[in-house]
């Protein structure tokens, strides 16, 4: 699959462009959706990525898109030295405790983070042999995201996904 529901993307791109974001780490880059969207804008900062499923790196040519690409599980990733961490349809692929642990690590180093996540019951199994596409927590609600992840200062709700902007410092 390697991509996510597009309805929150314009809101997220607008937030990135209207804040002082010079460096981004795209967590769960998939097909490079956010990279592709940002290069069509005036964004001139650097973009790195973390992708757990190595076949996506080849299929979507991620090494050419991003300045640095780590083939790694974000649950063990410790290089959040960027202005912004993008969690684009990633946190539903782990337990709530795992998602909070990742969020906490990002909050120590990033100035901002953005979440895009399904806010309806959204069942998903492994896709094209990728077991990491399975939704572990598949029933997030808008209020639950707000109550779970600290430092959210703005949000947007669509029919399928919600987007959440956090400021850490």
């Amino acid at each position: 699959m390697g991509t996510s529901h597009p309805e929150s993307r314009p809101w997220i791109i607008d937030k990135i462009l209207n804040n002082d974001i010079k460096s981004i780490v795209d967590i769960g880059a998939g097909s490079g959706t956010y990279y592709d969207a940002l290069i069509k804008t005036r964004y001139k900062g650097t973009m790195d990525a973390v992708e757990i499923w190595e076949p996506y790196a080849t299929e979507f040519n991620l090494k050419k898109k991003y300045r640095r690409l780590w083939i790694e599980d974000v649950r063990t990733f410790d290089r959040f030295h960027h202005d912004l961490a993008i969690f684009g349809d990633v946190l539903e692929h782990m337990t709530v405790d795992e998602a909070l642990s990742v969020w906490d690590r990002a909050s120590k180093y990033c100035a901002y983070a953005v979440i895009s996540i399904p806010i309806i019951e959204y069942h998903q199994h492994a896709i094209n042999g990728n077991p990491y596409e399975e939704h572990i927590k598949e029933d997030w609600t808008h209020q639950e995201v707000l109550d779970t992840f600290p430092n959210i200062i703005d949000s947007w709700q669509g029919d399928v996904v919600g987007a959440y902007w956090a400021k850490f410092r």
Side-chain angles (χ1 to χ4, degrees):
M1 186 157 150
T3 190
S4 58
H5 197 283
E7 72 179 343
S8 67
R9 207 163 303 134
W11 185 86
I12 291 171
I13 298 303
D14 185 62
K15 295 298 281 185
I16 292 169
L17 296 176
N18 288 299
N19 284 278
D20 188 28
I21 307 297
K22 293 181 176 69
S23 63
I24 294 173
V25 59
D26 185 0
I27 306 300
S31 65
T33 299
Y34 287 98
Y35 175 90
D36 293 340
L38 282 163
I39 62 165
K40 294 176 182 174
T41 71
R42 65 185 188 276
Y43 183 74
K44 300 294 184 208
T46 60
M47 292 189 69
D48 297 329
V50 178
E51 176 52 56
I52 194 170
W53 187 242
E54 195 283 329
Y56 283 171
T58 303
E59 180 180 351
F60 300 114
N61 209 14
L62 297 180
K63 289 179 183 173
K64 288 202 174 200
K65 290 182 177 185
Y66 294 95
R67 180 183 65 163
R68 284 183 296 216
L69 174 66
W70 293 282
I71 304 299
E72 189 172 336
D73 188 332
V74 71
R75 292 171 288 198
T76 59
F77 183 74
D78 63 358
R79 291 173 294 280
F80 284 103
H81 302 286
H82 299 79
D83 293 330
L84 172 70
I86 297 175
F87 294 97
D89 293 277
V90 168
L91 299 176
E92 69 273 20
H93 297 275
M94 57 188 81
T95 67
V96 173
D97 287 342
E98 290 168 333
L100 278 169
S101 176
V102 170
W103 186 257
D104 182 58
R105 264 183 285 121
S107 75
K108 289 178 170 61
Y109 301 102
C110 297
Y112 301 93
V114 65
I115 299 170
S116 176
I117 194 167
I119 54 170
I120 60 170
E121 188 164 335
Y122 198 101
H123 186 71
Q124 183 172 295
H125 288 294
I127 296 171
N128 296 329
N130 181 351
Y132 302 107
E133 288 284 1
E134 181 180 359
H135 287 181
I136 304 301
K137 169 81 168 106
E138 56 191 26
D139 61 349
W140 284 98
T141 67
H142 172 71
Q143 192 59 50
E144 186 178 16
V145 174
L146 292 173
D147 292 344
T148 301
F149 298 99
N151 301 98
I152 293 173
I153 61 169
D154 199 3
S155 64
W156 176 91
Q157 292 180 73
D159 293 328
V160 177
V161 299
Y164 304 87
W165 187 262
K167 183 175 183 178
F168 299 126
R169 52 188 156 133

Tab-separated table of all heavy atoms in Angstrom, residues 36-61:
chain	number	residue	atom	x	y	z
A	36	ASP	N	6.575	13.859	-1.505
A	36	ASP	CA	5.997	14.224	-2.801
A	36	ASP	C	5.130	15.478	-2.686
A	36	ASP	O	5.180	16.356	-3.550
A	36	ASP	CB	5.183	13.066	-3.376
A	36	ASP	CG	6.037	11.864	-3.758
A	36	ASP	OD1	7.268	12.021	-3.935
A	36	ASP	OD2	5.468	10.762	-3.871
A	37	ALA	N	4.335	15.562	-1.635
A	37	ALA	CA	3.461	16.729	-1.450
A	37	ALA	C	4.274	17.992	-1.166
A	37	ALA	O	3.961	19.069	-1.692
A	37	ALA	CB	2.481	16.469	-0.311
A	38	LEU	N	5.317	17.869	-0.372
A	38	LEU	CA	6.099	19.054	0.007
A	38	LEU	C	6.972	19.581	-1.127
A	38	LEU	O	7.182	20.789	-1.224
A	38	LEU	CB	6.931	18.777	1.252
A	38	LEU	CG	6.126	18.832	2.544
A	38	LEU	CD1	6.878	18.166	3.683
A	38	LEU	CD2	5.765	20.268	2.899
A	39	ILE	N	7.483	18.711	-1.995
A	39	ILE	CA	8.325	19.229	-3.079
A	39	ILE	C	7.508	20.019	-4.096
A	39	ILE	O	8.072	20.787	-4.867
A	39	ILE	CB	9.167	18.139	-3.787
A	39	ILE	CG1	8.281	17.098	-4.452
A	39	ILE	CG2	10.150	17.495	-2.831
A	39	ILE	CD1	9.025	16.231	-5.448
A	40	LYS	N	6.188	19.846	-4.075
A	40	LYS	CA	5.313	20.627	-4.957
A	40	LYS	C	5.026	22.016	-4.390
A	40	LYS	O	4.337	22.798	-5.019
A	40	LYS	CB	3.999	19.883	-5.183
A	40	LYS	CG	4.167	18.598	-5.952
A	40	LYS	CD	2.856	17.857	-6.069
A	40	LYS	CE	3.069	16.540	-6.805
A	40	LYS	NZ	1.849	15.735	-6.818
A	41	THR	N	5.562	22.308	-3.199
A	41	THR	CA	5.326	23.590	-2.538
A	41	THR	C	6.629	24.371	-2.467
A	41	THR	O	7.638	23.981	-3.035
A	41	THR	CB	4.808	23.375	-1.104
A	41	THR	OG1	5.888	22.878	-0.290
A	41	THR	CG2	3.637	22.399	-1.069
A	42	ARG	N	6.608	25.412	-1.690
A	42	ARG	CA	7.809	26.230	-1.504
A	42	ARG	C	8.725	25.694	-0.385
A	42	ARG	O	9.705	26.341	-0.038
A	42	ARG	CB	7.410	27.673	-1.218
A	42	ARG	CG	6.668	27.874	0.080
A	42	ARG	CD	6.192	29.321	0.247
A	42	ARG	NE	5.640	29.547	1.564
A	42	ARG	CZ	4.393	29.277	1.923
A	42	ARG	NH1	3.546	28.760	1.059
A	42	ARG	NH2	3.989	29.539	3.150
A	43	TYR	N	8.438	24.546	0.158
A	43	TYR	CA	9.249	24.004	1.253
A	43	TYR	C	10.678	23.736	0.784
A	43	TYR	O	10.895	23.050	-0.209
A	43	TYR	CB	8.636	22.718	1.816
A	43	TYR	CG	9.433	22.188	2.987
A	43	TYR	CD1	9.376	22.817	4.214
A	43	TYR	CD2	10.263	21.093	2.841
A	43	TYR	CE1	10.126	22.360	5.287
A	43	TYR	CE2	11.018	20.623	3.908
A	43	TYR	CZ	10.940	21.268	5.124
A	43	TYR	OH	11.697	20.819	6.174
A	44	LYS	N	11.654	24.276	1.525
A	44	LYS	CA	13.066	24.153	1.138
A	44	LYS	C	13.917	23.449	2.195
A	44	LYS	O	15.131	23.386	2.060
A	44	LYS	CB	13.666	25.548	0.888
A	44	LYS	CG	12.965	26.325	-0.213
A	44	LYS	CD	13.146	25.670	-1.554
A	44	LYS	CE	12.511	26.516	-2.633
A	44	LYS	NZ	12.073	25.768	-3.766
A	45	GLY	N	13.289	22.937	3.248
A	45	GLY	CA	14.048	22.295	4.309
A	45	GLY	C	14.514	20.902	3.923
A	45	GLY	O	14.287	20.424	2.815
A	46	THR	N	15.168	20.240	4.860
A	46	THR	CA	15.653	18.877	4.632
A	46	THR	C	14.608	17.875	5.109
A	46	THR	O	13.853	18.135	6.040
A	46	THR	CB	16.974	18.622	5.375
A	46	THR	OG1	16.764	18.797	6.776
A	46	THR	CG2	18.068	19.544	4.881
A	47	MET	N	14.595	16.738	4.439
A	47	MET	CA	13.667	15.670	4.803
A	47	MET	C	14.396	14.338	4.897
A	47	MET	O	15.068	13.925	3.954
A	47	MET	CB	12.537	15.571	3.768
A	47	MET	CG	11.611	16.759	3.778
A	47	MET	SD	10.159	16.493	2.723
A	47	MET	CE	9.307	15.241	3.671
A	48	ASP	N	14.263	13.717	6.054
A	48	ASP	CA	14.769	12.376	6.293
A	48	ASP	C	13.566	11.466	6.519
A	48	ASP	O	12.448	11.954	6.709
A	48	ASP	CB	15.673	12.350	7.527
A	48	ASP	CG	16.909	13.215	7.364
A	48	ASP	OD1	17.402	13.367	6.231
A	48	ASP	OD2	17.392	13.747	8.385
A	49	ALA	N	13.794	10.157	6.531
A	49	ALA	CA	12.676	9.233	6.707
A	49	ALA	C	13.093	7.978	7.449
A	49	ALA	O	14.250	7.552	7.385
A	49	ALA	CB	12.078	8.860	5.352
A	50	VAL	N	12.104	7.398	8.111
A	50	VAL	CA	12.216	6.088	8.741
A	50	VAL	C	11.147	5.215	8.109
A	50	VAL	O	9.982	5.615	8.032
A	50	VAL	CB	11.976	6.175	10.268
A	50	VAL	CG1	12.046	4.792	10.898
A	50	VAL	CG2	12.958	7.134	10.922
A	51	GLU	N	11.551	4.055	7.638
A	51	GLU	CA	10.606	3.106	7.037
A	51	GLU	C	10.970	1.708	7.513
A	51	GLU	O	12.109	1.278	7.341
A	51	GLU	CB	10.633	3.178	5.507
A	51	GLU	CG	9.763	2.156	4.796
A	51	GLU	CD	8.335	2.134	5.289
A	51	GLU	OE1	7.667	3.187	5.264
A	51	GLU	OE2	7.865	1.054	5.702
A	52	ILE	N	10.030	1.010	8.093
A	52	ILE	CA	10.288	-0.316	8.643
A	52	ILE	C	10.348	-1.401	7.562
A	52	ILE	O	11.066	-2.376	7.701
A	52	ILE	CB	9.224	-0.676	9.716
A	52	ILE	CG1	9.663	-1.889	10.541
A	52	ILE	CG2	7.852	-0.862	9.087
A	52	ILE	CD1	8.794	-2.142	11.761
A	53	TRP	N	9.625	-1.230	6.473
A	53	TRP	CA	9.484	-2.271	5.448
A	53	TRP	C	10.444	-1.988	4.302
A	53	TRP	O	10.168	-1.170	3.447
A	53	TRP	CB	8.038	-2.321	4.992
A	53	TRP	CG	7.656	-3.421	4.062
A	53	TRP	CD1	7.178	-3.266	2.791
A	53	TRP	CD2	7.677	-4.824	4.296
A	53	TRP	NE1	6.912	-4.491	2.231
A	53	TRP	CE2	7.206	-5.462	3.127
A	53	TRP	CE3	8.073	-5.612	5.381
A	53	TRP	CZ2	7.109	-6.851	3.024
A	53	TRP	CZ3	7.966	-6.990	5.270
A	53	TRP	CH2	7.494	-7.591	4.121
A	54	GLU	N	11.565	-2.681	4.267
A	54	GLU	CA	12.617	-2.441	3.281
A	54	GLU	C	12.124	-2.502	1.835
A	54	GLU	O	12.564	-1.702	1.009
A	54	GLU	CB	13.787	-3.401	3.511
A	54	GLU	CG	15.056	-3.013	2.780
A	54	GLU	CD	15.039	-3.328	1.287
A	54	GLU	OE1	14.376	-4.309	0.887
A	54	GLU	OE2	15.679	-2.578	0.527
A	55	PRO	N	11.216	-3.409	1.478
A	55	PRO	CA	10.751	-3.416	0.086
A	55	PRO	C	10.160	-2.072	-0.378
A	55	PRO	O	10.228	-1.751	-1.552
A	55	PRO	CB	9.702	-4.536	0.068
A	55	PRO	CG	10.188	-5.497	1.114
A	55	PRO	CD	10.722	-4.601	2.211
A	56	TYR	N	9.597	-1.275	0.531
A	56	TYR	CA	9.098	0.049	0.139
A	56	TYR	C	10.241	0.967	-0.293
A	56	TYR	O	10.061	1.811	-1.166
A	56	TYR	CB	8.328	0.707	1.273
A	56	TYR	CG	6.920	0.189	1.490
A	56	TYR	CD1	6.196	0.576	2.606
A	56	TYR	CD2	6.305	-0.672	0.581
A	56	TYR	CE1	4.904	0.129	2.810
A	56	TYR	CE2	5.019	-1.130	0.793
A	56	TYR	CZ	4.322	-0.727	1.913
A	56	TYR	OH	3.040	-1.175	2.116
A	57	ALA	N	11.395	0.823	0.332
A	57	ALA	CA	12.540	1.668	-0.034
A	57	ALA	C	12.879	1.490	-1.508
A	57	ALA	O	13.152	2.463	-2.218
A	57	ALA	CB	13.748	1.334	0.836
A	58	THR	N	12.839	0.254	-1.980
A	58	THR	CA	13.120	-0.033	-3.381
A	58	THR	C	11.938	0.328	-4.273
A	58	THR	O	12.084	1.050	-5.253
A	58	THR	CB	13.458	-1.532	-3.546
A	58	THR	OG1	14.576	-1.833	-2.698
A	58	THR	CG2	13.783	-1.861	-4.984
A	59	GLU	N	10.752	-0.160	-3.906
A	59	GLU	CA	9.557	0.053	-4.734
A	59	GLU	C	9.278	1.535	-4.973
A	59	GLU	O	8.890	1.929	-6.074
A	59	GLU	CB	8.344	-0.595	-4.061
A	59	GLU	CG	7.055	-0.443	-4.839
A	59	GLU	CD	5.869	-1.103	-4.153
A	59	GLU	OE1	6.047	-1.838	-3.153
A	59	GLU	OE2	4.737	-0.881	-4.626
A	60	PHE	N	9.469	2.360	-3.945
A	60	PHE	CA	9.123	3.779	-4.054
A	60	PHE	C	10.345	4.695	-4.157
A	60	PHE	O	10.220	5.908	-4.025
A	60	PHE	CB	8.239	4.184	-2.880
A	60	PHE	CG	6.951	3.410	-2.819
A	60	PHE	CD1	6.698	2.536	-1.772
A	60	PHE	CD2	6.005	3.524	-3.827
A	60	PHE	CE1	5.511	1.808	-1.714
A	60	PHE	CE2	4.816	2.803	-3.784
A	60	PHE	CZ	4.572	1.937	-2.717
A	61	ASN	N	11.525	4.092	-4.362
A	61	ASN	CA	12.757	4.862	-4.582
A	61	ASN	C	13.020	5.873	-3.462
A	61	ASN	O	13.396	7.028	-3.707
A	61	ASN	CB	12.682	5.575	-5.946
A	61	ASN	CG	14.041	5.775	-6.546
A	61	ASN	OD1	15.034	5.182	-6.120
A	61	ASN	ND2	14.107	6.636	-7.542
